């Protein structure tokens, strides 16, 4: 059984002040299935994956009812897909969060605290999440982690074990979706046929090299949400 952490988190609900935003998405099937965070896609009029500096519109998104995760079914094809796992890593093991905080590619290294509970906004329902303690940011600079939402968090064995959901800069915590909830969404979508092989990371330099390669190949991309359906001049 996974170790439970006694910390409880409240994730700020911004539903009443939605605006155009940007997050991260990653390919889980070469035919166009991508994962991101549910709060990145929710209530969007238009959603687009970045390709060559342009947001390519997508129209089929499946949002999880139990976790902060969403699956894009008709996204851009990808030369590679990232391997997923529904298993919770051992407490104290390293995690590698990839995405675009503040709109710029970055890697955040963390240590798993354990399974925790999170409540979103004013709702009374809670959801299990993995809570991680931030250790380092690469490159080293002072920036908000907003924008890394929807990106993958990798365990040391090379599997994606969740979707980046929220961060508390003051407490140095990063929250990701529970791995089993992520897997249930993927299975329910019936959009993923690929079963890529995971290779353990051979140190931090290997993590950085693979991240750079996935960025270059477009396996990890920015995803955009437009909440304004008014015509633009």
């Amino acid at each position: 059984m996974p170790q439970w952490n006694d910390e409880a988190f409240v994730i700020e609900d911004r539903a009443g002040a939605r605006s155009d935003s940007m997050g991260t998405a990653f390919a889980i099937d070469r035919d166009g299935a991508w994962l991101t965070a549910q709060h990145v896609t929710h209530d969007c009029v238009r959603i687009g994956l970045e390709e060559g500096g342009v947001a390519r519109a997508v129209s089929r998104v499946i949002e999880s009812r139990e976790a902060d995760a969403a699956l894009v079914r008709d996204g851009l094809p990808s030369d590679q897909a990232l391997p997923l796992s529904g298993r919770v890593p051992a407490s104290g093991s390293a995690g590698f969060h990839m995405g675009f905080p503040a709109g710029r590619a970055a890697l955040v290294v963390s240590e798993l605290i354990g399974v925790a509970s999170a409540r979103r906004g004013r709702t009374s329902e809670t959801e299990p999440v993995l809570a991680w303690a931030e250790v380092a940011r690469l490159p080293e600079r002072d920036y908000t982690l907003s924008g890394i939402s929807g990106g993958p968090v990798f365990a040391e064995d090379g599997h994606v074990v969740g979707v980046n959901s929220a961060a508390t800069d003051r407490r140095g915590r990063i929250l990701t979706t529970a791995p089993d909830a992520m897997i249930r969404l993927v299975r329910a979508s019936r959009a993923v046929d690929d079963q890529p092989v995971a290779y353990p990371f051979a140190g931090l330099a290997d993590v950085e090299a693979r991240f750079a390669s996935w960025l270059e190949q477009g396996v990890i991309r920015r995803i955009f949400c437009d909440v304004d359906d008014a015509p633009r001049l």
Side-chain angles (χ1 to χ4, degrees):
M1 295 291 291
Q3 178 179 336
W4 278 78
N5 175 50
D6 60 4
E7 290 183 276
F9 298 89
V10 177
I11 301 174
E12 181 182 355
D13 185 0
R14 299 180 181 176
R18 289 286 286 167
S19 59
D20 295 350
S21 60
M22 183 275 301
T24 303
F26 58 99
I28 56 173
D29 188 280
R30 289 170 295 176
D31 290 334
W34 297 71
L35 273 180
T36 188
Q38 189 262 5
H39 77 264
V40 170
T41 62
H42 194 61
D43 288 340
C44 300
V45 174
R46 287 180 291 270
I47 299 170
L49 282 168
E50 184 176 30
E51 182 185 36
V54 176
R56 302 295 182 184
V58 300
S59 58
R60 302 184 67 189
V61 177
I62 302 171
E63 296 182 346
S64 172
R65 295 183 178 180
E66 60 175 322
D68 186 17
L71 186 143
V72 174
R73 287 201 58 166
D74 63 345
L76 299 165
S78 174
D79 290 337
Q80 289 192 46
L82 300 182
L84 309 178
S85 173
R87 300 182 62 181
V88 177
S91 297
S93 61
F96 308 104
H97 309 256
M98 300 178 182
F100 298 91
R104 301 168 65 181
L107 167 67
V108 181
V109 182
S110 68
E111 182 177 289
L112 180 62
I113 300 170
V115 180
S117 61
R119 177 170 57 84
R120 193 167 294 277
R122 299 182 179 88
T123 65
S124 59
E125 297 182 359
T126 61
E127 62 184 72
V129 295
L130 297 189
W132 308 78
E134 183 180 330
V135 174
R137 300 184 184 188
L138 303 171
E140 295 183 6
R141 62 176 184 265
D142 185 18
Y143 51 81
T144 174
L145 290 184
S146 176
I148 204 173
S149 292
V153 54
F154 284 87
E156 294 172 310
D157 67 0
H159 282 100
V160 175
V161 292
V163 176
N164 294 320
S165 178
T168 58
D169 287 336
R170 182 176 61 84
R171 295 166 67 182
R173 300 291 187 259
I174 303 173
L175 307 182
T176 62
T177 58
D180 55 345
M182 173 186 69
I183 294 297
R184 282 192 289 271
L185 171 64
V186 170
R187 289 175 177 168
S189 74
R190 298 182 179 180
V192 178
D193 297 320
D194 285 351
Q195 295 183 338
V197 177
Y199 298 96
F201 292 109
L204 185 56
D206 185 30
V207 179
E208 293 182 276
R210 288 200 225 177
F211 181 36
S213 176
W214 289 326
L215 290 173
E216 182 178 358
Q217 297 175 36
V219 182
I220 301 174
R221 298 174 184 252
R222 295 194 294 179
I223 186 170
F224 299 93
C225 166
D226 190 349
V227 299
D228 182 8
D229 62 355
R232 298 183 181 273
L233 298 179

